[in-house]
Amino acid sequence: MPLAGLAAVVTGAGRGLGRAEALELARLGAAVVVNDFGQPGRDGTGEASTGPAEEVAAEIRATGGRALAHTGDVADFQQARELVELAVGEFGKLDVLVNNAGILRDRMVFSMTEGEWDSVIRVHLKGHFNTTHFAAAHWRERSKATGAPVYGRIVNTSSEAFLAGSAGQPNYAAAKGGIVGLTTSTALALAKYGVTANAICPRARTRMTEDVFAGFQEPDDGIDPLSPEHVAPLVGYLASPAASRVNGQLLVVHGGMVAIVDRPRVRAKFDSKQDTFTYDELDAVLTPHYAERPEGETFGAVEVLGLKRT
């Protein structure tokens, strides 16, 4: 039970990836606040429903774990505060934050509306910031009170859409790229307090991505390569003491495979022969350079989409 005695928050945990992650953290011994935006209502039969967050929390409690539900909107600053305060108030502290909540509003950049852009940036990027802000403040206060590092783990959810540059997801790719920047900044800022922050790029078949993976059939037997079950163990590991030296990292995970993504490296460097470059000088050095590069190559790492278990 590597997470025994630890308290965790998992956002967007009523279904899909977040649910699998919350169940895995609980299986490893953590007490979990299961967050999923929404209110209790009616199920498909018309019967009263407690809502997906409470259903997952009840599932954890049924196996002997500790869990409670939170149905607030993490993209709302005050409700994100209440989420962190709920974990601290119920379990005495917060040790692990898993940011997973998100939505999709896919459209080409020339067709996307302002609302489609704003809503995705709000839920993904601002939602990650909000919970991170309040968790970080909690850990900093605890560290200052004791004069020693605390135990803190942040696992953020980015996407291969950011790495490869998904053409039909400019809002989603931008939000997920921003999450990586938030993660690396947070990793450096909180390291002295004993906190690590890492980002994962999961590939999974969930309600949010059912249209994305509509052409990928589930196998007749065995675990679906796109099952969230392939992702949750990595989240459990990154939340554990064993991952104390893993910080500011980006990992791709799906289908029984984990890949560590290297940081960007300088491909080429050119120096001006004067105080500053002129147009002609830039033309003389950059045009031949790009003429020798593969046509269509961009900063996007499209090859990551071909990663698979071998």
Side-chain angles (χ1 to χ4, degrees), residues 205 209-217 226:
R205 192 194 311 273
T209 62
E210 59 186 355
D211 292 336
V212 177
F213 297 121
F216 295 83
Q217 298 298 317
L226 292 172

Side-chain angles (χ1 to χ4, degrees), residues 5 22 35 46 53 67 69 97 114 130 133 151 162 165 170-171 189-190 223 245 260 272 278 283 288 291 293 298:
N35 163 265
L97 170 63
E114 181 182 18
N130 285 348
H133 167 79
Y151 187 100
F162 146 70
N171 48 2
L190 300 186
I223 300 178
R245 289 179 55 84
I260 301 170
S272 171
T278 64
D283 181 29
R293 297 272 290 272
T298 73

Side-chain angles (χ1 to χ4, degrees), residues 35-305:
N35 163 265
D36 200 87
F37 181 50
Q39 298 296 330
R42 300 280 173 178
D43 63 18
T45 65
E47 295 296 321
S49 171
T50 56
E54 175 53 36
E55 289 168 5
V56 175
E59 188 175 351
I60 291 172
R61 292 194 297 268
T63 59
R66 299 177 65 195
L68 66 155
H70 179 269
T71 57
D73 177 7
V74 294
D76 180 280
F77 199 64
Q78 181 57 34
Q79 292 181 53
R81 179 203 299 270
E82 293 167 357
L83 171 59
V84 172
E85 290 178 345
L86 177 63
V88 175
E90 182 72 16
F91 304 129
K93 59 177 180 171
L94 174 64
D95 303 290
V96 178
L97 170 63
V98 179
N99 284 310
N100 171 76
I103 60 172
L104 287 180
R105 299 290 184 270
D106 292 352
R107 205 175 297 277
M108 299 297 285
V109 69
F110 43 76
S111 302
M112 183 163 289
T113 67
E114 181 182 18
E116 289 165 340
W117 173 271
D118 288 347
S119 61
V120 169
I121 297 296
R122 177 183 180 272
V123 174
H124 287 275
L125 187 52
K126 188 183 179 187
H128 273 61
F129 162 73
N130 285 348
T131 53
T132 297
H133 167 79
F134 291 111
H138 168 69
W139 288 320
R140 180 172 178 266
E141 290 172 5
R142 283 174 51 197
S143 179
K144 290 177 66 177
T146 62
V150 298
Y151 187 100
R153 299 284 188 269
I154 299 174
V155 182
N156 288 332
T157 306
S158 183
S159 170
E160 293 169 295
F162 146 70
L163 287 170
S166 181
Q169 298 180 303
N171 48 2
Y172 185 68
K176 293 306 191 181
I179 286 168
V180 173
L182 171 65
T183 303
T184 54
S185 174
T186 302
L188 292 174
L190 300 186
K192 65 181 180 181
Y193 301 116
V195 179
T196 67
N198 294 286
I200 62 171
C201 294
R203 188 188 302 178
R205 192 194 311 273
T206 66
R207 189 178 67 160
M208 190 181 83
T209 62
E210 59 186 355
D211 292 336
V212 177
F213 297 121
F216 295 83
Q217 298 298 317
E218 295 187 39
D220 294 331
D221 54 7
I223 300 178
D224 181 2
L226 292 172
S227 169
E229 292 178 54
H230 294 294
V231 178
L234 177 60
V235 173
Y237 168 76
L238 293 174
S240 76
S244 62
R245 289 179 55 84
V246 185
N247 193 29
Q249 301 296 306
L250 178 64
L251 302 98
V252 177
V253 54
H254 58 78
M257 179 218 73
V258 173
I260 301 170
V261 180
D262 204 2
R263 67 182 189 272
R265 298 185 182 276
V266 176
R267 173 71 172 262
K269 175 179 175 289
F270 304 99
D271 296 316
S272 171
K273 293 182 173 61
Q274 303 80 227
D275 290 337
T276 186
F277 272 109
T278 64
Y279 169 86
D280 290 337
E281 192 178 11
L282 287 170
D283 181 29
V285 296
L286 293 182
T287 301
H289 172 78
Y290 282 104
E292 296 174 359
R293 297 272 290 272
E295 186 175 359
E297 180 186 72
T298 73
F299 186 75
V302 181
E303 63 273 13
V304 76
L305 299 179

